[in-house]
Amino acid sequence: MGDLFSQIEQPEREEILALRKELEDANYRYYVLNMPTLSDREFDEKLRRLQDLEAQYPDMFDKNSPTQHVGSDLAKKNDKGFEQVTHRYPMLSLANTYSLEEIQDWLHKLPSDAEIVCELKYDGLSISLWYENGDLVKAVTRGDGQKGDNVIDNIKTIASVPWHVDGVPAQFEMRGEVLLPWESFERLNREREEQEEPLFANPRNAASGTLKLLDPKEVKRRGLTCYLYYMLGENLPADNHFDRLQTAKKWGFPVSDAVKVSRSLDEVNEYIRYWDTERKNLPVATDGIVLKVNNLQQQQSLGYTAKTPRWAIAYKFPAERQLTKLKQITYQVGRTGVVTPVANLEPIQLSGTIVQRATLHNEDFIRSLDLHEGDMVWVEKGGEIIPKIVSVEHNAASSPSRDATETQQGSEFAFPTNCPECGTPLVRVEGEAAWRCPNESGCAPQQIGKIVHFVSRKAMNIDGLGEETIDLFFREGLLRNIADIYSLRKEDIARLEGLGDKSADNILAGIEASKQVPWARVLFALGIRMVGETTAKKITRRFTSIDTLQWAKKEELTAIDDVGDQIADNIIAYFMDMNNLEIVNRLRQAGLQMETSGGEQQTASDKLAGKSIVISGTFAHHGRDEYKELIEIHSGKNVGSVSKKTSFILAGENMGPEKRKKAESLGVPLVTEEEFLAMLQ
Ligand code: IVH
């Protein structure tokens, strides 16, 4: 009888497990990724079914079941950011060399029958993925090799990483590299440039910054990718590394196709030679190749040093470098007035492109290399895609550097004291390496830069006015500042070379349409330093018109989420400048949206100003997103996790037990939905 029962019970027990997993995934996709895969109705039906089944099988109670807690948009993160996890096996590094001879020596020391697995060395960040019963349960960064951060929410945004695999050992670990592909890296940097945020030097830095973000939606948008190159655990299939990788590939893991078994030095050399060129066609950055002894028993007897396995070695591709002459140092003035020195070089061929210019960053950089015009310099192009000058060559026999005449003529480097574009004395902001031209409204590149930003897609989105056209209009005296855009006349535009009636009509139509662009984007378009798109939105929620913003006090500004002292100072300084006030007036007269219109989100009140509020549970009158909006438009801040700084918890039905416990222990009050709505009355 008992047997018969358990046979009947079995499918329902499995259904409970499957439903829990499905609903957990759905919660994650809904709350964290903002990409629901189930309709609300489907979700509710499945949740109801799970509740019924759990009631029938009380022995299967699990406090982690989706019936016991609501989905969270900050899954498993603590107040400091990520959960710290001790690696099951320490995460070691690799011995590496730039010398083919050392590779040869390493190969010679191996047993004569050793097979070598050749792989690409991906230039990203190492990650360790833990699978239990087929489920991805942790994704841990290298950290210090012993302990790392669990960044599973971010890793789950990578489409090629399976959340679940079937027919696998109960526990195992996959290690590999997380990367940001070149294309995504370039797009990200273009966006950052537009927003005046510091650029990432290379895809590795960008991937590292991305993996540490606390917002998986942004991580997803940036588009990380991953290659796995190592399987660890007990009782795993196969007795060699290559077969394990192929098995992992069959299980659905992203394993590179470039893995190859070699049996001789010649084959290894051929692999290196081939990939040294071919890697330039890959979508991701690589900086060398990795050689691993294939046989696991041989690996074991070779063993480890304190930091690296003896059974593997990395050969790093040398960065390409060339010697050339630094003809002249010139200076570029950017949109924000920063003056950047640029090296003008005798053209050279480097990694497939002709290089004749390289940034010198700032005065300190030039001094640290002791660069003089006329020097012979080494230029390198490596993982940093931008060519850079790495050193001065003083004793190249064929290319004497700094000859007697130069020293006599004293071509010693001196940074200009005045703006190379407008002559204004430069200023150096304390704590910054850059020199800046302070003549914001009268220095041509700054004026042009401001106009280009104003018309850009995320700002006023004026079709037809590209950078070249703006340049032309500026030279022709048609545009000096952003307000002039609204005084452009058809006949002035149409008479210019390359334009005509049709282009003029197009441009004017674009300008006309921009008058409907909402106030938040207008504020962003003004180009106040450090006021990016998101900050502008937050400011306009609190200040619903330019008139109120113009008179805002510093403490009112810094009370806004994201607005610190520096941004507040920049806003105040912007409205103190007479030139800016005149521009704003002209824009207003032109009919731009300078206040929140009906359809936009407004700041309804200050009732929640200074309050940090956690939302937990499910609600009867509004959805969670609506409550989030309500908090924001009443000037409060919605935060994800409970801490001693939390003002109160907006507590709905089925509030998570963990949150409740934490709130009690910290003395954070709970406010019901009705009480909360009454507060806002
Ligand atoms: S194997 C114990 N294989 O390079 C062996 N590492 O410089 C562990 N890397 O920490 C590493 N591509 O992040 C291995 N095909 C590859 C690799 C690779 C890139 C990274 C990895 C490692 C670092 C060492």
Side-chain angles (χ1 to χ4, degrees), residues 393-436:
E393 178 61 67
H394 293 291
N395 22 346
S398 56
S399 48
S401 182
R402 271 193 220 164
D403 55 30
T405 43
E406 253 185 78
T407 338
Q408 278 159 19
Q409 284 163 3
S411 66
E412 174 114 28
F413 159 77
F415 205 89
T417 50
N418 291 66
C419 174
E421 295 281 343
C422 70
T424 306
L426 298 179
V427 292
R428 193 169 186 173
V429 181
E430 225 187 280
E432 276 183 26
W435 285 94
R436 217 181 256 279

Side-chain angles (χ1 to χ4, degrees), residues 94-103 119 121 268 272-273 276 287-291 313-318:
L94 284 173
N96 64 49
T97 174
Y98 287 92
S99 143
L100 286 170
E101 257 173 45
E102 281 184 28
I103 292 291
E119 298 171 18
K121 185 170 189 313
V268 170
I272 295 178
R273 208 191 46 73
D276 195 2
D287 60 346
I289 59 125
V290 181
L291 304 178
I313 193 167
Y315 168 75
K316 301 248 268 185
F317 296 121

